[in-house]
Amino acid sequence: MSKKPIYVTQPELPPLEEFMPYLQKIWDSRILTNSGPFHRMLEVALCEHLGVKHLSLFSNATTALVTALQSLRITGEVITTPYSFVATAHSLMWNGIKPVFVDVDPVTLNMDPAKIEAAITPQTTAIMPIHCYGTPCDVDAIQRIADDYNLKVIYDAAHAFGVQREEEGEMRSILNHGDLSVLSFHATKVFNTFEGGAIICPDAKTKQRLDHLKNFGFVNETTVVATGINGKMSEFNAALGLVQLKHVDNHIAARGAVEARYRELLRGVPGVRLLDRPAGVTPNHSYLPILLGPDYAIGRDGLYQRLREHDVMARRYFYPLISDFPMYRGLPSSDPAGLPVARAAADQVLCVPIYPALQDEDVVRIAEVIRSGAVAAPVVREDVPLLLAA
Ligand code: T4K
């Protein structure tokens, strides 16, 4: 049994000797950044691996989200979800855009397309959903609304590396939907470059604009075409990405095996539910959210605490809701009355550790702690909505 704390995730790293030749090249060439050879190679390799046409690397997903909005000249109001990491809404605020929060769907915890139309005003210019935990949004319904109202769609796809969905008889990347999709390669993600991110776009012209925007707006030595930012990925991060890419499929498979064990061990535990995996989707097992309903004896926070006593650092992704943070809670759309499902999710979800190196004995131990919390006589609180009733 592991003695060290177990965190919600542990970044995967390749064997150091695989990375050393890349470092040697960087040391020899002295090309450290500004769209160097590894940067260019990783863009090509990722397009091929993910099955997307164009991709621009960034230093992280937050800068990429800010830049994605800039590139489409989004202004006014953008419809988004409160059930996400705070960077989603922050990217709007950095552009002077007002976030308009709509509730999420109780099955996927993604933005509920049925709630979008009522939130559209003459100021609305775009929709920014996230593929939460890598579960694909209802991209078809969202696109129909976007087309009807002439809105752009920017997916926060930070969790969706490698996720595919069946379309016309074949598996295709979820990242091809909407106008732009933004990936995160942060240390805590399925594919990491320490820090990093990317924007996926459908055409070369958009990629060129993104490339200018992430390099201060420079087109050449003397021409600046936009108020760009410094969002470039360095050669160190890009080289690491090239090595990580060789292993990522194995890592995702290993995560899948961990998830399967949790599902097996947690089957039938009263008050514990796992999100269903939608049919026709290749998942990436980036997170393992479990829902502790009002019928779970010690409650979500009781379990969070009990796991900590066992040195297991599960995380409440996403609690609090973005709409509860001080800079957002004054917005009309932050009114809890309009966000009952998101609120119930924020109160009931616990993301338990999942990563390739997680030992089976630790999964068993974590599942035992979860099971132990269900044993006390359940107190059913009728004021708390039951998500995903079994
Ligand atoms: N959109 C969405 C939907 C996102 O989820 C995120 C990021 C973004 C946008 C923005 O992407 P980036 O700009 O970051 O590329 C973490 C991550 O920092 C954040 O990237 C991620 N979402 C979010 C869901 O989780 P924290 O504050 O929970 O991180 P932290 O440092 O507490 O890490 C969690 C655990 O992981 C630690 O307890 C231990 C382990 N860990 C972490 C790091 C950084 C390691 O073992 N090694 C490490 O280097 O936010």
Side-chain angles (χ1 to χ4, degrees):
M1 199 173 288
S2 170
K3 290 277 176 289
K4 285 191 294 190
I6 298 177
Y7 296 104
V8 67
T9 192
Q10 175 180 285
E12 277 305 310
L13 289 175
L16 193 52
E17 56 273 20
E18 275 187 42
F19 189 42
M20 292 313 280
Y22 291 77
L23 285 185
Q24 189 64 56
K25 280 197 180 141
I26 293 174
W27 258 245
D28 291 345
S29 71
R30 291 292 196 271
I31 303 290
L32 311 186
T33 187
N34 287 6
S35 198
F38 290 137
H39 184 285
R40 293 195 297 274
M41 282 164 70
L42 184 59
E43 287 191 343
V44 172
L46 281 170
C47 281
E48 199 173 308
H49 182 93
L50 295 168
V52 301
K53 287 211 179 74
H54 300 276
L55 178 148
S56 183
L57 289 170
F58 275 77
S59 49
N60 58 64
T62 306
T63 310
L65 283 167
V66 170
T67 309
L69 291 158
Q70 286 269 319
S71 73
L72 298 175
R73 299 181 176 84
I74 304 297
T75 56
E77 295 177 4
V78 169
I79 296 172
T80 189
T81 164
Y83 193 73
S84 180
F85 189 61
V86 73
T88 311
H90 277 3
S91 72
L92 298 171
M93 299 291 263
W94 273 80
N95 279 289
I97 295 164
K98 181 174 165 189
V100 175
F101 298 113
V102 298
D103 208 0
V104 296
D105 172 89
V107 175
T108 60
L109 304 185
N110 285 329
M111 181 186 284
D112 184 347
K115 301 283 157 48
I116 296 175
E117 276 190 83
I120 296 174
T121 74
Q123 282 71 49
T124 310
T125 53
I127 307 171
M128 187 187 266
I130 90 157
H131 302 296
C132 196
Y133 311 128
T135 305
C137 290
D138 187 343
V139 289
D140 302 317
I142 291 170
Q143 195 57 53
R144 270 197 300 276
I145 297 166
D147 291 344
D148 284 350
Y149 291 87
N150 194 23
L151 305 175
K152 301 285 186 195
V153 183
I154 297 144
Y155 281 104
D156 180 337
H159 300 176
F161 185 95
V163 173
Q164 295 179 319
R165 153 185 117 129
E166 196 182 337
E167 287 167 14
E168 295 168 5
E170 58 180 35
M171 298 309 287
R172 292 192 190 149
S173 174
I174 198 68
L175 305 171
N176 287 318
H177 290 275
D179 294 276
L180 299 172
S181 290
V182 175
L183 283 171
S184 171
F185 305 149
H186 182 259
T188 53
K189 298 294 188 272
V190 164
F191 171 81
N192 87 76
T193 57
F194 285 15
E195 291 271 4
I199 304 180
I200 285 87
C201 62
D203 57 83
K205 198 164 158 238
T206 309
K207 170 165 163 56
Q208 192 182 52
R209 180 160 168 76
L210 292 167
D211 288 347
H212 293 156
L213 280 171
K214 76 179 178 195
N215 189 27
F216 314 97
F218 275 111
V219 171
N220 58 40
E221 258 183 63
T222 52
T223 315
V224 173
V225 291
T227 45
I229 199 162
N230 181 357
K232 293 166 275 120
M233 177 181 274
S234 82
E235 284 294 277
F236 180 93
N237 303 97
L240 180 63
L242 285 166
V243 186
Q244 296 280 49
L245 204 51
K246 297 179 188 169
H247 300 279
V248 70
D249 285 345
N250 287 341
H251 294 161
I252 289 175
R255 285 171 172 274
V258 173
E259 176 171 333
R261 279 295 275 157
Y262 273 117
R263 286 188 181 273
E264 186 186 324
L265 294 162
L266 294 176
R267 197 168 298 135
V269 179
V272 177
R273 293 171 199 95
L274 276 76
L275 293 185
D276 285 334
R277 288 278 170 217
V281 168
T282 309
N284 66 5
H285 311 284
S286 48
Y287 292 88
L288 194 71
I290 63 171
L291 286 145
L292 293 315
D295 48 342
Y296 182 69
I298 63 169
R300 191 273 311 268
D301 290 340
L303 177 61
Y304 171 80
Q305 218 39 60
R306 187 173 287 186
L307 284 167
R308 290 182 92 80
E309 284 155 19
H310 287 81
D311 279 332
V312 177
M313 311 302 172
R315 292 294 291 268
R316 290 166 289 193
Y317 295 135
F318 291 104
Y319 166 85
L321 291 179
I322 299 178
S323 49
D324 284 340
F325 287 118
M327 59 298 286
Y328 299 104
R329 65 179 169 228
L331 293 169
S333 64
S334 295
D335 184 348
L339 307 167
V341 182
R343 189 151 299 271
D347 289 343
Q348 295 177 19
V349 168
L350 194 62
C351 285
V352 294
I354 182 166
Y355 50 88
L358 186 62
Q359 298 297 302
D360 191 62
E361 62 191 9
D362 289 324
V363 178
V364 170
R365 184 164 69 90
I366 294 166
E368 270 167 19
V369 178
I370 298 170
R371 192 175 278 276
S372 76
V375 170
V379 184
V380 177
R381 289 167 45 203
E382 277 165 7
D383 56 317
V384 184
L386 191 65
L387 284 178
L388 306 172

